[in-house]
């Protein structure tokens, strides 16, 4: 169905935003992670080549996709109504909630959103974690002045460790990874029932093949192997 062989139709340029372990991160200078391996497996099943990965700030992924600099986003990106107005999402491939990180063993141990009041809270720009903070500001739980945006989550966790913020809101699996590797811990979680999907342009029919590839990878057991490798 795609164009003749040798056309670009069979190559996808993937884009991601590293600093989101275990989904995408750098190890010894190499990009790796659950999303990276999953998309590689899905593309192979679907009969596509993956070009070199573009590593971008999370916020610039959607504009890069719509402008055609990349063809597919694999970045632990939550399927939201707002984003669905701009791009198409594959079938969901992972479920997540948000959690609130604080300094490990610190005196600030919030148990609920109300306890965050008066404290400085950070999140990565353009994420659903940031959306949760914005919701708390709208609801009056937090003051906008206390919100700090970061280009990526590792920078937010640096700020948390050094005391520049008191809490960071991040996706649960990523927060768990930081809790295991840095001087931070999860204080409580916020149930958001998010689903991650791959993002493609709305007029790109290749998403059908990606969905078929995803089902095949889920049925073959490859998906479960990747889950145990990265979350096991
Ligand atoms: N799941 C969240 C969202 O969609 C955070 C994703 C951040 N991903 C990343 N690769 N930094 O907004």
């Amino acid at each position: 169905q795609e164009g003749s062989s040798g056309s670009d139709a069979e190559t996808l340029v993937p884009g991601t935003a590293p600093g989101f372990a275990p989904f995408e991160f750098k190890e010894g200078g190499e990009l790796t992670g659950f999303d990276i391996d999953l998309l590689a497996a899905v593309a192979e099943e679907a009969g596509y080549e993956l070009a070199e990965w573009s590593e971008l700030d999370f916020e610039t992924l959607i504009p890069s996709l719509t402008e055609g600099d990349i063809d597919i986003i694999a970045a632990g990106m939550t399927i939201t109504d707002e984003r669905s107005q701009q791009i198409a999402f594959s079938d969901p491939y992972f479920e997540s909630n948000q959690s609130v990180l604080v300094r490990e063993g610190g005196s600030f141990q919030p148990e609920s959103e109300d306890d965050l009041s008066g404290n400085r809270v950070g999140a990565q720009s353009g994420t659903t974690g940031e959306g949760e903070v914005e919701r708390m500001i709208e609801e009056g739980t937090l003051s906008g002045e206390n919100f700090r945006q970061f280009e990526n989550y590792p920078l937010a966790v640096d700020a948390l460790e050094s005391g520049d913020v008191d809490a960071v809101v991040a996706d649960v699996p990523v927060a768990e990874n930081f809790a295991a590797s840095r001087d931070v811990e999860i204080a409580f979680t916020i149930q958001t029932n998010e689903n991650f999907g791959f993002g493609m342009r709305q007029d790109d029919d290749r998403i059908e093949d990606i969905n078929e590839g995803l089902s095949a990878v889920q049925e073959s057991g490859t998906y479960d192997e990747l889950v145990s490798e990265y979350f096991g």
Side-chain angles (χ1 to χ4, degrees):
Q1 269 208 323
E2 293 298 334
S4 57
S5 66
S7 88
D8 270 341
E10 277 129 28
T11 302
L12 293 169
V13 180
T16 192
F20 201 62
F23 293 95
E24 40 268 341
F25 56 103
K26 304 293 287 242
E27 198 172 59
E30 293 290 314
L31 180 66
T32 183
F34 179 78
D35 283 338
I36 310 307
D37 288 358
L38 178 63
L39 185 61
V42 167
E44 186 170 8
E45 276 292 343
Y48 291 97
E49 297 278 333
L50 282 189
E52 202 187 320
W53 283 83
S54 274
E55 298 173 18
L56 301 162
D57 285 339
F58 186 76
E59 256 194 327
T60 66
L61 286 168
I62 289 180
S64 300
L65 176 67
T66 55
E67 282 159 26
D69 297 336
I70 58 175
D71 297 315
I72 187 162
I73 297 171
M77 186 177 276
T78 303
I79 302 169
T80 67
D81 290 343
E82 199 184 330
R83 290 171 182 161
S84 296
Q85 295 182 358
Q86 297 175 269
I87 64 170
F89 282 102
S90 71
D91 293 334
Y93 66 81
F94 203 90
E95 289 173 17
S96 179
N97 289 298
Q98 296 292 317
S99 54
V100 175
L101 285 166
V102 296
R103 281 177 289 283
E104 189 168 11
S107 55
F108 181 53
Q109 294 291 342
E111 282 167 14
S112 70
E113 287 179 22
D114 287 342
D115 295 339
L116 296 177
S117 172
N119 291 280
R120 296 156 305 168
V121 182
Q124 178 176 12
S125 297
T127 61
T128 50
E130 175 183 73
E132 288 303 300
V133 179
E134 284 166 349
R135 175 184 56 75
M136 290 183 235
I137 293 169
E138 271 162 38
E139 291 173 359
T141 314
L142 277 182
S143 127
E145 287 166 12
N146 285 335
F147 178 33
R148 303 281 186 281
Q149 293 169 294
F150 296 90
E151 227 160 76
N152 57 56
Y153 273 116
L155 289 174
V157 171
D158 288 346
L160 180 56
E161 284 181 336
S162 68
D164 289 338
V165 295
D166 305 301
V168 168
V169 181
D171 298 66
V172 168
V174 174
E176 283 172 344
N177 197 275
F178 281 124
S181 57
R182 306 280 300 261
D183 290 332
V184 296
E185 63 185 325
I186 294 177
F188 64 93
T189 65
I190 305 170
Q191 204 181 334
T192 50
N193 301 314
E194 294 172 60
N195 278 299
F196 296 171
F198 300 122
M200 293 182 80
R201 280 180 294 281
Q202 287 181 335
D203 63 357
D204 193 339
D205 297 339
R206 296 178 294 183
I207 199 160
E208 302 300 334
D209 302 329
I210 291 300
N211 281 332
E212 279 172 29
L214 178 59
S215 314
V217 162
Q218 280 165 335
E219 277 156 30
S220 70
T222 303
Y223 180 91
D224 291 336
E225 280 168 29
L226 291 176
V227 167
S228 43
E229 179 178 346
Y230 287 102
F231 305 94

